[in-house]
Amino acid sequence: MLTLLQKIEADAARRLPLPPGGKPSQELSRYKNFLKVETHRLKMLHRAGAGGREICHARAAVLDVLQRYVLEAVRHNLSPDSKSSPLRLALVAIGGYGRGELSPFSDIDIMLLHDGDSVMVAFGLPPSRRIGVIKENLENAVKAGRVEPYLEPDEYVAFLRENPALME
């Protein structure tokens, strides 16, 4: 018998891969429909007696799977110039989602960490419309009291540069 995560993964494998030539930006309805179906699955499980913590963990797993497919679709649709060098980025879940506990109707806090404008261009965004650079995002998050880093922002950036596999 399949576990809940296996069922979610199987549903994603059936629903989320893009058709040949498809662009992620044109597939928003596909992604929304996946979320709707999986949210309904979790609602039925809860009504059948599944605990709140189990549902929260499963909801986080649904978002993990969805974001993995979206990032993979984006990666496959990069321009040939962008594919020549690996993108150094990480999608980081923060707050309850970062802990793997995503309550129904809660917001989804994520941060896209990257090392500069080349990532923005690869995603089709102009360099002036930057989502953020690793050091700047960390400094802003620390100032706002949203994170308690084990490393200072400069040390964290140096650590990531010394360990590029963490950014793949």
Side-chain angles (χ1 to χ4, degrees):
M1 181 165 208
L2 294 176
T3 67
L4 178 58
L5 183 56
Q6 289 170 328
K7 289 177 184 177
I8 293 167
E9 291 278 358
D11 191 36
R14 194 173 51 254
R15 293 175 177 273
L16 295 180
L18 294 183
K23 299 204 178 292
S25 60
Q26 298 170 340
E27 298 294 330
L28 188 57
S29 61
R30 176 189 304 269
Y31 302 135
K32 284 182 174 183
N33 189 43
F34 173 78
L35 278 177
K36 184 177 181 179
V37 168
E38 293 305 323
T39 297
H40 184 70
R41 179 196 311 264
L42 296 180
K43 191 180 211 179
M44 289 184 340
L45 278 171
H46 191 255
R47 287 181 177 165
R53 189 169 293 250
E54 180 183 355
I55 298 302
C56 289
H57 289 295
R59 185 162 157 71
V62 167
L63 267 291
D64 287 346
V65 170
L66 175 63
Q67 290 180 86
R68 189 175 68 238
Y69 272 88
V70 170
L71 281 176
E72 192 59 32
V74 168
R75 188 172 281 152
H76 282 305
N77 280 279
L78 293 174
S79 68
D81 294 336
S82 299
K83 288 182 180 179
S84 63
S85 61
L87 290 178
R88 294 175 39 91
L89 63 94
L91 189 59
V92 181
I94 324 173
Y97 179 38
R99 291 187 304 274
E101 297 174 342
L102 192 55
S103 299
F105 307 109
S106 65
D107 59 340
I108 301 163
D109 299 316
I110 56 174
M111 178 174 23
L112 178 66
L113 296 176
H114 61 84
D115 66 353
D117 289 340
S118 62
V119 170
M120 302 308 294
V121 172
F123 277 89
L125 299 171
S128 61
R129 186 178 167 203
R130 297 165 60 188
I131 295 172
V133 178
I134 292 172
K135 182 179 175 185
E136 292 170 14
N137 275 338
L138 283 172
E139 287 172 346
N140 291 336
V142 169
K143 285 178 191 172
R146 292 189 309 242
V147 296
E148 187 71 34
Y150 291 102
L151 300 172
E152 290 299 314
D154 286 334
E155 295 171 317
Y156 187 72
V157 171
F159 173 77
L160 290 175
R161 286 194 176 129
E162 292 168 11
N163 299 281
L166 296 174
M167 297 292 289
E168 294 176 358

